[in-house]
Amino acid sequence: GGLGGEEGQLRPEATQLRRQVVQSISATDIDQALKLLRDNFPTVLAIDEGFLLLKLKCRKFVELILRTSEANKVAKNEAMQMAVSKPLDSVMDVDEDAPISPVNGEPRKEAVSPATSPVSPRMRRSSSRTAASPAQLAYQTALSETLAYGRSLHKEVHESTAAAKPGAQELLKMTFSLVSYDDPLTAGGAVQTIASDSEREKLAIEVNQAILGACDVPCLYPIRVAYIPSFFAHRITRSSQPPGLRAGLSTGGRHDD
């Protein structure tokens, strides 16, 4: 009843599932990859006392950071465009609690003090607070998800036997260090490496070989690196890392930016 076939080969359905796992990792969908592994190749997640599982979970955090950075970039660009196109009286009555500054990512402050503002009291009273745009909401949603997962992962690894494996602490240190950089993909050194597409490819290949090994299939034809980039249609582009992400993870507290 296993997924292994005769003469050291996978059954056709197992081969398809294996490819789906690899494709999910390549498309940054680590949750889908984990689901497929748990449902079809559960022994893979127990390899090396769960170290491979830890690698996948760390990669999910990396993908969330990159996704949040991209959302922040889009929201910043939108805010800059809105600031340029706003009428003068609207610019003078900027919402203090707007989550993103078109300049430096800090909360916006009123451009003109109430005492010197040419805007009439009636106009000021009738001016409604600016509603968050879809881009700002997308950024806030991505940020909240990343913060929640980061805190959960940080707590989980301290209770995991995989954290004691050689190389585990270095992996965790490098993974969480990404929040200290505005753009991990251009940071250089080990930070840029761990956030890169090539590191994702390496993990996909490692998981592929682990599946073959778990099914007693020799890794004579491991999936080629060239096969993987074709599934990068959903790759995350380079962007700035929001300061709120670093603050939220370091404090473990609520993020209200």
Side-chain angles (χ1 to χ4, degrees), residues 38-59:
R38 289 190 179 103
D39 292 347
N40 303 284
F41 309 104
T43 57
V44 169
L45 299 178
I47 290 176
D48 205 12
E49 298 183 40
F51 191 26
L52 185 56
L53 174 59
L54 178 62
K55 289 181 179 180
L56 284 164
K57 290 183 175 182
C58 285
R59 187 66 214 185

Side-chain angles (χ1 to χ4, degrees), residues 135-178:
Q136 291 169 342
L137 290 174
Y139 159 65
Q140 291 294 338
T141 299
L143 178 60
S144 297
E145 182 181 357
T146 302
L147 292 174
Y149 183 77
R151 290 193 290 266
S152 174
L153 179 61
H154 189 269
K155 178 181 178 181
E156 179 183 341
V157 295
H158 287 294
E159 303 170 356
S160 169
T161 56
K165 299 295 295 182
Q169 290 303 314
E170 183 64 20
L171 171 64
L172 292 167
K173 178 182 177 182
M174 292 306 305
T175 299
F176 285 108
S177 73
L178 265 62

